Amino acid sequence: MTLVGNWSYPTAIKFGAGRIKELAEACAAAGMKKPLLVTDKGLADLPVTQSTLDILEVAGLGRAMFSEVDPNPNEKNLEAGVAAYKAGDHDGVIAFGGGSGLDLGKMVAFMCGQTRPVWDFEDIGDWWTRADADAIAPIIAVPTTAGTGSEVGRASVITDSVTHQKKIIFHPKVLPTVVICDPELTVGMPKFITAGTGLDAFAHCVEAFSSPHYHPMSQGIALEGMRLVRDYLPRAYADGTDIEARAQMMSAAAMGATAFQKGLGAIHAMSHPIGAHFNTHHGTTNAVCMPAVLAFNAPEIRERFNMAAAYLGIEGGFEGFCTYVQDLNDSLGIPRGLSELGVTEAAIPELVKGALIDPSCGGNPVVLDEANLTQLFKDAM
């Protein structure tokens, strides 16, 4: 099978090895003549980023980059990015990198023309309608990891540096106009990033599949996304140059983010405040939380995961699936508990407060309250 495609779901996606060469064409399609490439600090000086800037420069699109983006981007990074966008008189954003670069880049495009503070657009009710939709700049997304799926998302996660809360900022026009998914860009990912981002995609699929909300399309996407992770994440981890595995994991990442329109749950409700307080890697944190959350949700999800296990070729139904999850974590070097990520039991009350107000909380199949969230954090330690 040739892993190349032009897709229009959920947005225009140019998928395949080497397709970063089509970046200038994508800029033209999005109406950009002077784009700002937004990425994170770790990627700024790497060859993969510099060669992408070369493509822009050769095409007469400039070589502008903003990279003051933290692993868990916050409103300070956003303010600096918007200032750089305005100072350079740019007309669009290329969001480039993993979740942090993609999320921050999308928010720079969103906020560059708004007059209200970013927190006024948090994903609460219809707050997104407060935004001036016509002032949102065009966005091209270029993922360099296979995990968050932010390239096909209509929201970004931004950390409030004052309250240490991760907040979701949503608007339909934050969905990128064009996405370039080039698996060759992910070849240089170190093993721990391959593992963490891959398990982030897996968590998105697991939680979407667990969600009680009605969305059969997302349910099917989540199930197949889990299969791709099962088949290809171990290969990508073992050999980072395995382009087929890298490509299939990029598909799984986009599928996970598409599927979680159905809802997320306790895994993300827990990992968001942990990341905000302890600056942990999001996907790795999800992976550590997953076994405890699966056990907690067992009464509501056992039957559907019996079916999923059969499809995935995992023996033992739901219990077999839970064993598989722990074995997968172990094989990828994921810590067995949150304490190994630096999380302290003393912080649990504050983490519970953050989890209770996280939008993901409402998608859990078992209702979450202070008592059971406290126990979940303890079980995951």
Side-chain angles (χ1 to χ4, degrees):
M1 183 187 300
T2 301
L3 302 180
V4 175
N6 294 319
W7 305 332
S8 58
Y9 180 72
T11 189
I13 301 175
K14 297 175 180 291
F15 189 99
R19 299 202 68 178
I20 190 61
K21 296 174 184 176
E22 299 174 39
L23 182 57
E25 176 186 321
C27 288
M32 296 183 196
K33 295 181 179 179
K34 196 177 181 183
L36 175 66
L37 187 143
V38 177
T39 192
D40 64 68
K41 298 172 184 176
L43 276 173
D45 296 325
L46 295 184
V48 67
T49 308
Q50 294 302 313
S51 62
T52 300
L53 290 170
D54 290 343
I55 292 170
L56 294 175
E57 189 172 34
V58 168
L61 296 168
R63 197 185 179 87
M65 177 176 66
F66 174 78
S67 61
E68 292 304 307
V69 181
D70 292 320
N72 289 293
N74 56 49
E75 82 284 0
K76 295 178 181 178
N77 300 152
L78 178 56
E79 290 169 6
V82 169
Y85 182 91
K86 292 179 177 178
D89 195 26
H90 297 289
D91 59 4
V93 170
I94 298 170
F96 185 91
S100 56
L102 295 174
D103 276 8
L104 203 283
K106 286 157 58 179
M107 282 297 98
V108 169
F110 174 67
M111 287 299 296
C112 65
Q114 306 302 324
T115 57
R116 303 177 68 143
V118 66
W119 308 132
D120 280 4
F121 308 112
E122 191 176 353
D123 190 16
I124 298 174
D126 64 354
W127 284 17
W128 64 272
T129 62
R130 297 169 171 176
D132 180 354
D134 293 334
I136 300 172
I139 304 165
I140 292 172
V142 183
T144 63
T145 65
T148 69
S150 183
E151 65 273 11
V152 295
R154 301 169 297 168
S156 291
V157 179
I158 302 295
T159 300
D160 185 330
S161 63
V162 177
T163 64
H164 299 290
Q165 294 174 357
K166 284 194 173 186
K167 298 181 178 180
I168 298 173
I169 312 300
F170 166 85
H171 194 281
K173 285 192 67 174
V174 168
L175 180 66
T177 303
V178 182
V179 177
I180 296 179
C181 284
D182 184 341
E184 291 182 350
L185 302 182
T186 70
V187 166
M189 276 196 297
K191 281 183 176 291
F192 80 96
I193 296 295
T194 297
T197 54
L199 290 169
D200 191 21
F202 190 63
H204 292 159
C205 292
V206 168
E207 290 218 283
F209 197 76
S210 302
S211 169
H213 303 313
Y214 179 72
H215 200 320
M217 291 180 286
S218 287
Q219 196 75 344
I221 292 169
L223 183 60
E224 178 64 2
M226 284 189 276
R227 186 192 69 81
L228 290 180
V229 174
R230 171 177 166 79
D231 289 351
Y232 293 102
L233 179 55
R235 280 177 52 176
Y237 183 78
D239 178 7
T241 65
D242 184 336
I243 289 295
E244 181 187 10
R246 291 295 198 187
Q248 297 284 20
M249 283 306 301
M250 289 199 96
S251 290
M255 291 166 72
T258 302
F260 72 55
Q261 292 182 36
K262 183 173 179 278
L264 291 170
I267 294 173
H268 280 76
M270 295 169 70
S271 69
H272 283 155
I274 290 170
H277 282 270
F278 293 96
N279 204 31
T280 57
H281 183 269
H282 175 67
T284 303
T285 310
N286 282 341
V288 175
C289 292
M290 193 180 301
V293 172
L294 285 171
F296 173 75
N297 285 328
E300 296 296 327
I301 66 173
R302 183 183 304 277
E303 184 175 343
R304 76 188 72 171
F305 274 92
N306 284 339
M307 178 188 71
Y311 178 77
L312 297 170
I314 297 170
E315 296 182 357
F318 172 71
E319 283 74 18
F321 181 84
C322 292
T323 299
Y324 162 75
V325 167
Q326 187 59 68
D327 289 346
L328 178 63
N329 279 359
D330 291 344
S331 71
L332 299 176
I334 301 298
R336 280 261 179 159
L338 293 174
S339 60
E340 294 181 53
L341 298 180
V343 180
T344 63
E345 288 209 20
I348 288 179
E350 196 64 29
L351 297 176
V352 169
K353 290 180 184 178
L356 284 170
I357 63 174
D358 191 280
S360 304
C361 196
N364 203 64
V366 177
V367 175
L368 297 171
D369 58 26
E370 184 175 352
N372 56 34
L373 270 169
T374 298
Q375 189 59 52
L376 263 176
F377 276 107
K378 289 180 178 179
D379 291 343
M381 289 296 291

